[in-house]
Every structure is written in C-alpha cells, then in structure tokens.
C-alpha cells in the first residue's frame, strides 16, 4: 500500500530498528515503546487486520512471535511478555497494517496497563446467549 507507514518500513523507505525478518514477516522496535523491548511483528504483504490477513501470514507471525519472545527473554530477562493485537479504529488500532505487539515487563517496573483490568462477574445468561451467537457464526 502506497501510503502505509509499515509498508514503507518493510521497503526501507522509513528507517526502523529491525530485530528479525523472514520471507513472510518483519519485526522491529516500536518508536513509542510502552516499555523497553516493545517489538512489533508484521506481515510483509499488506493486510489491514485479522479479517483480511491470509492464514499463512497469520501463522507465520505467531511462529515468529515465539522466536522473538525467546530472544527478548534471553536479551532482557523480563518477568513477563504481553502479546497484544488490535483490530479496528474502535479499539484504537492506529496503523492499519496488521501488527502483533510484544511488550516485556522488567522486574520493578510499573504494571503494564494493557495487562490489567477489573474482574467483574458477568451475567451468565448473557454470556451463554452471546457465546451461542458466536458459535453459530463459526465457519
Ligand atoms: P496500534 O495500531 O496497535 O494502536 O499501534 C501502532 C503502533 O505503531 C504504536 O505503538 C506506534 O508507536 C507504532 N508506530 C507508529 N508509527 C511508527 C513508525 O513509524 N515506526 C515504528 N517503529 N513504530 C511506529
Ligand atoms: Zn502496509
């Protein structure tokens, strides 16, 4: 895509701190890191979100995430690594080229807000109804 920042990063038209690439994926450091080592993994072929990305690229990203997460653990020794992936402007996807965030947390560093939410018990009837609706749409 001509005007896509991440496509430009893959082409080398915008500089990036690359940590890994293979024939399908490219991984690089986020320039607004939530924490040191915040890494993005993207498909080389432009796809906007989870609905558009081909299964082969999706699988390649998740296989690469294991390789990169292992490297993050060896290089930085974090107490955990969060994986986050946003789809759609309604959930604050800002770059419309599929990307998986890997965000490490170091011992003694603040809690990552993306990993913490209040556990409030839901309405079981509604949970059942919604689950059935989704299950009925699976194909
Ligand atoms: P999301 O779309 O999931 O909200 O996040 C997009 C991410 O891309 C943000 O964390 C942002 O910092 C990162 N980002 C946006 N533009 C650039 C860029 O030009 N270079 C790099 N390395 N990261 C970017
Ligand atoms: Zn793109």
């Amino acid at each position: 895509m001509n005007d896509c920042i991440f496509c430009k990063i893959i082409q080398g038209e915008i500089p990036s701190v690359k940590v890994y690439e293979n024939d399908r994926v490219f991984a690089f450091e986020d320039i607004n890191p939530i924490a040191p080592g915040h890494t993005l993994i993207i498909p080389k072929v432009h796809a906007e979100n989870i609905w558009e990305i081909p299964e082969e690229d999706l699988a390649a990203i998740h296989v690469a995430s294991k390789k990169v997460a292992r490297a993050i653990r060896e290089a930085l020794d974090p107490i955990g690594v969060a994986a986050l992936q946003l789809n759609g402007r309604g959930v604050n996807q800002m770059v419309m080229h599929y990307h998986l965030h890997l965000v490490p947390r170091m011992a003694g560093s603040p809690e990552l807000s993306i990993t913490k939410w209040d556990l409030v018990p839901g309405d079981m009837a509604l949970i059942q109804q919604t689950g059935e609706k989704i299950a009925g749409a699976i194909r």
Side-chain angles (χ1 to χ4, degrees):
M1 278 257 298
N2 288 343
D3 57 346
C4 172
I5 295 172
F6 285 178
C7 283
K8 287 182 178 161
I9 284 177
I10 293 163
Q11 300 305 324
E13 292 167 25
I14 293 177
S16 69
V17 178
K18 181 180 93 172
V19 298
Y20 175 69
E21 75 175 305
N22 64 24
D23 57 336
R24 285 189 184 270
V25 312
F26 190 92
F28 58 106
E29 296 304 283
D30 196 299
I31 51 165
N32 304 290
I34 299 173
H38 181 170
T39 303
L40 302 174
I41 308 178
I42 65 177
K44 286 190 169 173
V45 174
H46 181 92
E48 189 164 312
N49 53 39
I50 198 165
W51 300 291
E52 289 188 0
I53 188 170
E55 287 182 359
E56 294 77 8
D57 283 349
L58 189 61
I61 282 170
H62 283 268
V63 171
S65 76
K66 185 172 173 72
K67 190 181 267 294
V68 175
R70 197 209 58 74
I72 289 173
R73 187 170 65 177
E74 184 176 314
L76 306 179
D77 193 25
I79 54 173
V81 175
L84 177 74
Q85 195 272 311
L86 306 176
N87 299 283
R89 295 185 202 281
V91 294
N92 294 330
Q93 182 180 3
M94 291 183 304
V95 177
M96 305 317 270
H97 180 131
Y98 186 99
H99 51 282
L100 177 67
H101 297 256
L102 290 181
V103 187
R105 182 184 175 209
M106 308 305 293
S109 67
E111 191 102 51
L112 300 172
S113 58
I114 54 165
T115 66
K116 202 163 162 41
W117 58 88
D118 292 336
L119 293 182
V120 179
D123 172 344
M124 275 317 299
L126 185 59
I127 291 168
Q128 180 76 32
Q129 193 187 22
T130 311
E132 283 172 8
K133 219 168 162 180
I134 297 168
I138 295 283
R139 58 174 181 269

